[in-house]
């Protein structure tokens, strides 16, 4: 935080890195890696030793498009065996995620795993064993919860931690924007996709605000999803979803997707209500903003950067800083698992007709 002219601390939302930001290899160089991970690393001077993809067609022309990438590995084993690799950016899908993490840990590499960490309750039960092996190997495992560093959300996080709104009593998110293309994509085959995958960023940031704001862990989740009027028949997954959470203190949070919204000024507005103030903001689609209201006046908080692609750089930067500073990263796999448990509880609630599902504190 730096002091603002009106007495409000100005949060620094820029990605943070140690002096040495090299030694990254991307395992799984598909769409998200080439549209977000690699552009982020190019923009922020992250040294990429190389990439690997199951299909050689995926990496055709990649070295020309991304000059900081030094090579394309012939196999995942070759990537993991390279002594120049310190950090593995695991950008594959959630299937076999724990096996990939284990392989990287066995190779002595720090890991940044794509989100969701997993959508399997069995994997969550096996995760402590994998993380114990990482501890023994002296490596860190983090998850690419890049939304935590979306500038309005990051600024809100730092202000909540600083006590700017007192104790958090409620959080609300609304999607006032079109959904991304789902019909005909693999995402349309994921059961309750909006609840388990798409809303994970929103669940994760909300859980962190409740915890940082003194509300304690989430103890109950309630969710439902449904098809909406005008939804194409070929779109199999529901386009509307509502997810509510209750924290240990009684504070509540609601995440709402009314459908694929029609809007000329799209965004995702959010509110963080506390005992002494309110944060009002929005993320995505050039809607980024954040205001702090103390009950007498509202102050606009300056923001730097954008979720895409600065958030992706910041997620890796946090892991690098944690290794340099010998601490657990904010986006550790153990912490990310708590957010996964919430979306799995949301899936269970929707399967049961929207009844609340208790979550172990």
């Amino acid at each position: 935080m730096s002091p603002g002219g009106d007495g409000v601390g100005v949060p620094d939302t820029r990605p943070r890195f140690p002096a040495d930001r090299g030694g990254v290899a991307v395992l799984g160089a598909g769409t998200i890696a080439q549209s977000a991970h690699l552009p982020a690393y190019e923009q922020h001077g992250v040294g990429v030793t190389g990439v690997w993809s199951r299909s050689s067609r995926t990496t055709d022309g990649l070295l020309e498009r991304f000059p900081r990438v030094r090579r394309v590995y012939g196999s995942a084993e070759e990537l993991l065996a390279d002594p120049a690799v310190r950090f593995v950016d695991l950008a594959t899908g959630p299937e076999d995620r724990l096996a990939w993490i284990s392989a990287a840990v066995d190779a002595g590499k720090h890991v940044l795993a794509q989100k969701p960490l997993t959508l399997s309750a069995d994997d969550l039960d096996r995760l402590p064993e994998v993380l114990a092996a990482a501890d023994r190997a002296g490596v860190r495992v983090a998850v690419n919860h890049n939304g935590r560093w979306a500038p309005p959300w990051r600024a809100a996080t730092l202000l909540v931690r600083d006590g700017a709104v007192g104790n958090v009593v409620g959080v609300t998110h609304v999607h006032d924007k079109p959904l991304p293309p789902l019909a005909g994509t693999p995402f349309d085959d994921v059961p309750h996709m909006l609840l388990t995958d798409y809303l994970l960023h929103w669940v994760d940031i909300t859980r962190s605000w409740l915890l940082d704001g003194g509300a304690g862990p989430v103890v109950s989740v309630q969710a439902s999803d449904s098809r909406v009027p005008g939804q194409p028949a070929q779109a199999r997954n529901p386009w509307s979803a509502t997810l509510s959470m209750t924290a240990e203190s009684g504070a509540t949070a609601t995440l709402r997707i009314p459908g694929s919204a029609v809007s000329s000024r799209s965004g995702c507005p959010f509110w963080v209500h506390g005992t002494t103030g309110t944060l009002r903001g929005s993320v995505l689609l050039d809607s980024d903003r954040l205001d702090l209201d103390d009950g007498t006046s509202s102050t606009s908080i300056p923001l730097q950067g954008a979720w895409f692609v600065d958030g992706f750089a910041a997620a890796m930067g946090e892991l690098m800083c944690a290794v340099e500073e010998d601490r657990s990263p904010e986006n550790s796999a153990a912490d990310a698992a708590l957010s996964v448990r919430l979306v799995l509880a949301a899936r269970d609630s929707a399967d049961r007709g929207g009844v609340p599902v208790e979550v172990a504190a």
Side-chain angles (χ1 to χ4, degrees):
M1 290 280 201
S2 60
D6 47 16
V8 176
V10 178
D12 186 352
T13 60
R14 295 171 297 178
R16 191 170 74 90
F17 289 93
D20 183 357
R21 59 183 73 181
V24 173
V26 180
L27 196 157
T31 301
I32 189 64
Q34 296 193 38
S35 64
H37 298 232
L38 291 175
Y41 299 156
E42 288 282 332
Q43 183 173 313
H44 289 275
V46 175
V48 181
T49 64
V51 302
W52 172 79
S53 179
R54 288 187 177 92
S55 170
S56 60
R57 292 192 301 272
T58 303
T59 54
D60 283 348
L62 186 146
L63 297 181
E64 290 72 29
R65 295 196 304 277
F66 300 103
R68 296 192 70 85
V69 179
R70 298 179 186 174
R71 62 185 289 194
V72 174
Y73 292 98
S75 67
E77 291 75 18
E78 184 183 7
L79 181 155
L80 293 175
D82 186 351
V85 175
R86 297 190 299 140
F87 300 90
V88 174
D89 181 349
L90 185 54
T92 59
E95 301 80 12
D96 299 322
R97 179 65 48 75
L98 259 60
W100 283 120
I101 293 174
S102 294
V105 166
D106 289 344
K109 315 298 186 184
H110 306 287
V111 180
L112 180 68
Q114 179 65 292
K115 75 89 188 168
L117 173 61
T118 181
L119 289 178
S120 164
D122 289 341
D123 279 357
L124 287 181
D125 291 338
R126 293 192 295 116
L127 181 64
E129 178 184 344
V130 174
L131 297 184
D135 284 343
R136 291 192 296 271
V139 297
R140 308 287 185 184
V141 180
V143 175
N144 196 1
H145 278 302
N146 45 78
R148 290 194 182 193
W149 285 273
W153 284 1
R154 184 61 176 174
T157 295
L158 297 175
L159 287 167
V160 167
R161 289 178 183 172
D162 201 43
V165 297
N167 293 325
V168 172
V169 299
V171 178
T172 305
H173 297 271
V174 178
H175 279 61
D176 184 22
K177 72 177 192 67
L179 289 174
L182 298 176
T185 73
F187 290 110
D188 214 11
D189 295 322
V190 178
H192 303 290
M193 180 269 180
L194 292 183
L195 295 173
T196 58
D197 188 295
Y198 187 62
L199 279 176
L200 178 56
H201 284 303
W202 281 261
V203 169
D204 180 70
I205 195 66
T206 300
R207 180 181 67 81
S208 70
W209 289 340
L210 290 169
L211 200 59
D212 290 341
V218 173
V219 296
S220 177
V221 176
Q222 186 172 10
S224 62
D225 53 9
S226 62
R227 299 182 67 86
V228 298
Q231 180 174 334
Q234 67 269 26
R236 294 184 294 277
N237 248 299
W239 277 10
S240 174
T242 302
L243 192 160
S244 299
M245 299 181 283
T246 302
E248 193 173 54
S249 70
T252 58
T254 300
L255 290 60
R256 175 79 176 125
I257 301 178
S260 190
V262 177
S263 176
S264 61
R265 298 180 62 187
S266 298
C268 292
F270 64 90
W271 296 258
V272 183
H273 289 94
T275 53
T276 63
T278 298
L279 290 164
R280 299 184 183 92
S282 183
V283 294
L284 291 175
L285 302 174
D286 297 322
S287 73
D288 283 10
R289 65 180 185 277
L290 184 67
D291 298 313
L292 172 61
D293 190 333
D294 65 1
T296 60
S297 63
S298 181
T299 302
S300 178
I301 304 299
L303 302 173
Q304 297 171 295
W307 183 343
F308 287 74
V309 293
D310 299 289
F312 289 79
M316 176 59 78
E318 168 60 14
L319 173 58
M320 289 181 165
C321 287
V323 170
E324 177 78 11
E325 297 161 9
D326 192 24
R327 60 173 174 82
S328 179
E330 286 187 32
N331 51 337
S332 71
D335 185 76
L338 300 177
S339 293
V340 172
R341 289 197 183 279
L342 297 188
V343 297
L344 294 183
R347 181 185 66 187
D348 292 345
S349 176
D351 275 339
R352 300 173 192 174
V355 300
V357 172
E358 291 187 2
V359 181

